[in-house]
Amino acid sequence: MGFERPSPLRPRRRTAEPVVSRRVLEARPRGYTLPVSITRRPTEAFLSERVRGIAPSGIRRFFDMLAEMDDVISLTIGEPDFTTPEPITRAAIDSLEHGQTHYTANGGMLELRQMIAQSLEDRYAVTYDPARELTITVGASEAVDASLRAILDPGDEVIYHEPCFVAYAPCIELAGGVPVRIATGDDHDFQVSADQIEAAVTPRTKAIFLGYPNNPTGAVLDRDELAAIAAVAERHDLLVVTDEIYDRLVYGGHQHVAFSALDGMRDRTVLIGGFSKAYAMTGWRIGYVAAPAELMTGIAKVHQYGIMCAPTPAQFAAIEALRSGEPYVQGMLDEYDRRRVLMTRRFNEMGLHCFEPGGAFYCFPNVTDATGLDEETFAQRLLAEERVAVVPGTAFGPSGAGHVRACYATSYEEIVEAMDRMERFVASCRAA
């Protein structure tokens, strides 16, 4: 009954064999035989149940489909069609040419943190200690992940609104939390209310997660509604995590209000921002998180062990963005506004009800009422028949049913052509 070790010259047999260590085999009692039932498990079984239960992004699915098609106008991916302004790119190149290729401090370059703190104070009258209350992250996405992992214990509930960015609920789950969904809809321009949030609070609730200006709807919240939500957080002693990546992209007289700037909210808010959208820097992967020092201690641990620090050349680029990028931001904002007005008007003229988005760069029209098609069928047929790509609203949660997301961060001329094609498609659906 001896155990035959595989020869180094002989390939290991691929039959079902016990998965046990040599130490266990050599320590077994004389005459002991391993149970026949212990066999190799399928490779995918090594994935955690938590990860296996999370669906892949519905945005990327349509993006991958259109990559293999010709003559497609894509209104899918939420990133600026502008290239990064030249002075910002030049600052990164200069940093490389001068040998700035090493780690920075875990929290990021102090100069960059100081400039972000000054920008937040100037725009929103909220102050942060750059050394202790700001961390530079690999995009706002890492800031979301690190913040949730730092604050959540298994079973903690986080109330969030949807439709919303596809990562919110998965990041809550990956951090061990329980996402508690609140549906918003056309009837209130996709604005979550304080009453809805309060009705969802339970003894397990630890935090509220807000994402405004909103992706995918373009909705914004005014100061009065934010203040009402702040009162709920205060009344139930809750933390508020707020993704404000689109804070610079607001239109039509709307003014963004940083949640932490509200009375009493600075010490119970984790504020997340970044450079991707306003400065056309999606590929640079530079974001930040601002929070009270007591919370930042934990967030910084997650960031430190998971990332070390954000890319050094990108941090130099972000410094230049804050130093000289404002005229570029305003120029891009004006152009987005022009496209926003066009797209909203065209959707409503063709009978696809679309409320006027107040922020970000998305329209979220209702396609089902006018065509009778659900959002998935509408998007698939529009792509196949007219070569226009949009994202089904349910990619952003169940309450996105009946809608599609169309991004106007593409050229004005392409939007005109896309709307012409879509109008032709809608007419054909009505005639069928």
Side-chain angles (χ1 to χ4, degrees):
M1 297 294 292
F3 176 72
E4 180 186 358
R5 290 183 173 82
S7 164
L9 301 179
R10 185 190 312 162
R12 185 184 294 272
R13 288 177 294 171
R14 295 300 181 185
T15 57
E17 297 177 354
V19 184
V20 291
S21 71
R22 181 193 306 172
R23 183 177 59 191
V24 169
L25 287 167
E26 293 177 345
R28 70 192 190 279
R30 183 181 299 275
Y32 174 78
T33 311
L34 285 167
V36 178
S37 60
I38 301 179
T39 59
R40 286 188 183 277
R41 71 187 94 181
T43 302
E44 63 270 18
F46 287 97
L47 290 172
S48 72
E49 291 185 13
R50 181 183 297 166
V51 168
R52 278 185 282 166
I54 293 175
S57 168
I59 302 176
R60 284 290 170 180
R61 181 167 61 85
F62 265 77
F63 185 71
D64 292 342
M65 288 171 58
L66 67 91
E68 300 178 0
M69 303 176 70
D70 297 325
D71 190 31
V72 173
I73 299 176
S74 176
L75 307 177
T76 57
I77 298 298
E79 69 171 343
D81 58 310
F82 301 100
T83 56
T84 305
E86 193 277 335
I88 298 173
T89 301
R90 173 47 55 188
I93 294 171
D94 288 346
S95 75
L96 293 169
E97 290 178 344
H98 286 85
Q100 300 286 359
T101 58
H102 304 281
Y103 295 131
T104 68
N106 292 142
M109 297 170 62
L110 183 58
E111 181 182 3
L112 176 55
R113 285 182 278 167
Q114 290 171 333
M115 294 179 76
I116 292 171
Q118 188 63 57
S119 177
L120 291 172
E121 184 173 1
D122 291 345
R123 286 187 284 123
Y124 306 124
V126 60
T127 60
Y128 289 98
D129 179 349
R132 300 170 61 240
E133 298 183 320
L134 268 163
T135 294
I136 309 303
T137 58
V138 182
S141 295
E142 192 235 326
V144 169
D145 180 59
S147 299
L148 290 170
R149 286 202 281 156
I151 66 174
L152 294 181
D153 288 314
D156 285 342
E157 293 179 354
V158 179
I159 297 170
Y160 74 105
H161 55 90
E162 53 115 287
C164 66
F165 180 52
V166 296
Y168 294 167
C171 282
I172 293 168
E173 292 179 321
L174 289 170
V178 178
V180 177
R181 177 177 70 91
I182 293 176
T184 64
D186 286 289
D187 50 345
H188 291 97
D189 292 347
F190 296 99
Q191 297 173 334
V192 69
S193 72
D195 289 341
Q196 286 178 294
I197 292 174
E198 187 149 38
V201 174
T202 76
R204 299 301 303 268
T205 306
K206 191 168 192 178
I208 301 165
F209 197 112
L210 297 176
Y212 288 98
N214 182 255
N215 171 13
T217 67
V220 296
L221 291 182
D222 61 24
R223 180 178 289 273
D224 289 344
E225 192 59 61
L226 288 170
I229 294 171
V232 173
E234 185 72 39
R235 193 155 50 243
H236 295 278
D237 192 25
L238 302 176
L239 190 68
V240 180
V241 181
T242 176
D243 179 1
E244 302 184 23
I245 186 66
Y246 292 98
D247 67 331
R248 305 301 312 281
L249 304 182
V250 290
Y251 318 95
H254 293 289
Q255 289 188 331
H256 180 72
V257 178
F259 197 86
S260 57
L262 298 169
D263 289 345
M265 287 299 109
R266 184 194 176 282
D267 289 339
R268 62 171 69 247
T269 299
V270 176
L271 184 154
I272 292 164
F275 293 78
S276 292
K277 312 300 182 178
Y279 294 95
M281 293 177 66
T282 53
W284 296 85
R285 309 313 301 134
I286 285 289
Y288 61 85
V289 55
E294 296 82 358
L295 289 177
M296 188 58 71
T297 298
I299 296 169
K301 287 179 187 177
V302 179
H303 169 77
Q304 178 186 53
Y305 290 120
I307 298 297
M308 181 63 75
C309 67
T312 301
Q315 293 190 54
F316 278 99
I319 288 172
E320 185 59 33
L322 290 171
R323 181 178 292 135
S324 66
E326 190 60 25
Y328 298 97
V329 172
Q330 291 302 317
M332 289 186 281
L333 182 63
D334 290 343
E335 179 59 19
Y336 290 143
D337 193 19
R338 187 168 79 107
R339 300 169 184 179
R340 176 186 72 99
V341 171
L342 167 69
M343 186 177 279
T344 305
R345 175 176 59 80
R346 290 294 304 273
F347 276 135
N348 284 299
E349 286 176 350
M350 68 179 76
L352 303 182
H353 171 69
C354 182
F355 88 102
E356 182 176 302
F361 37 53
Y362 310 104
C363 283
F364 204 63
N366 183 313
V367 298
T368 296
D369 289 350
T371 67
L373 303 177
D374 64 67
E375 68 287 341
E376 281 277 345
T377 304
F378 182 96
Q380 290 175 3
R381 285 188 51 186
L382 179 65
L383 180 59
E385 297 175 27
E386 291 291 349
R387 293 298 196 266
V388 175
V390 294
V391 182
T394 45
F396 308 96
S399 58
H403 297 76
V404 297
R405 188 189 77 172
C407 178
Y408 49 85
T410 191
S411 73
Y412 192 91
E413 293 72 24
E414 283 198 308
I415 291 173
V416 170
E417 176 62 24
M419 294 296 102
D420 289 344
R421 296 184 188 185
M422 199 175 299
E423 186 171 21
R424 186 165 60 229
F425 173 72
V426 170
S428 72
C429 290
R430 286 176 168 149

